[in-house]
């Protein structure tokens, strides 16, 4: 079992909240995970929390547009999903990853 946590900075004028959700789902797929269900809550006036329940476990993202920040959580009970690919997908879409940590559970 592995648990990945990171924060990433972005430009809310360039990347929308809908795109944040799509990046989460795309990163899960790109890393080899299998999405079973998704959920989303939008905060007002800004911000969102999105999760994906995976066959392997779960992934989530929480945004703070006023701080240009997202915090991402990715947990896998399997060795199959590739955490490096997951982070690459985020960085390739304009997110600057900082403070990443992987924990073996």
């Amino acid at each position: 079992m592995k648990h990945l946590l990171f924060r990433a900075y972005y430009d809310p004028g360039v990347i929308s909240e809908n795109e944040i959700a799509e990046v989460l789902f795309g990163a899960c797929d790109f890393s080899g995970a299998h999405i079973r269900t998704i959920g989303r809550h939008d905060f007002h006036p800004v911000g969102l929390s999105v999760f994906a329940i995976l066959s392997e476990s779960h992934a989530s993202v929480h945004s703070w547009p006023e701080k240009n920040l997202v915090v991402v959580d990715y947990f896998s009970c399997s060795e199959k999903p590739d955490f490096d690919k997951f982070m690459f997908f985020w960085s390739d879409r304009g997110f600057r990853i900082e403070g990443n940590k992987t924990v073996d559970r």
Side-chain angles (χ1 to χ4, degrees), residues 7-13 20 62-71 94-96:
R7 63 182 179 274
Y9 293 90
Y10 72 105
D11 182 348
I20 292 170
H62 309 281
S63 76
W64 288 269
E66 67 278 11
K67 296 181 179 182
N68 300 350
L69 175 68
V70 295
V71 176
F95 293 83
R96 189 180 82 243

Side-chain angles (χ1 to χ4, degrees), residues 24-38 51-59 74-76 78-82 86:
L24 176 69
F25 306 143
C28 288
D29 185 56
F30 187 70
S31 72
H34 301 92
I35 296 174
R36 296 299 172 211
T37 191
I38 59 174
F51 69 87
I53 300 300
L54 311 171
S55 294
E56 299 78 11
S57 192
H58 73 272
Y74 187 26
F75 189 86
S76 177
S78 165
E79 293 297 319
K80 182 180 178 183
D82 187 324
F86 184 84

Side-chain angles (χ1 to χ4, degrees), residues 76-94:
S76 177
C77 296
S78 165
E79 293 297 319
K80 182 180 178 183
D82 187 324
F83 283 11
D84 290 332
K85 283 185 173 182
F86 184 84
M87 286 191 300
F88 171 80
F89 197 90
W90 282 91
S91 62
D92 191 52
R93 271 115 187 121

Side-chain angles (χ1 to χ4, degrees), residues 10 15-25 40 42 48 50 61 63 95:
Y10 72 105
I15 299 171
S16 72
E17 291 184 339
N18 285 335
E19 289 169 312
I20 292 170
E22 291 305 316
V23 171
L24 176 69
F25 306 143
R40 174 178 175 155
D42 291 282
L48 81 155
V50 178
V61 60
S63 76
F95 293 83

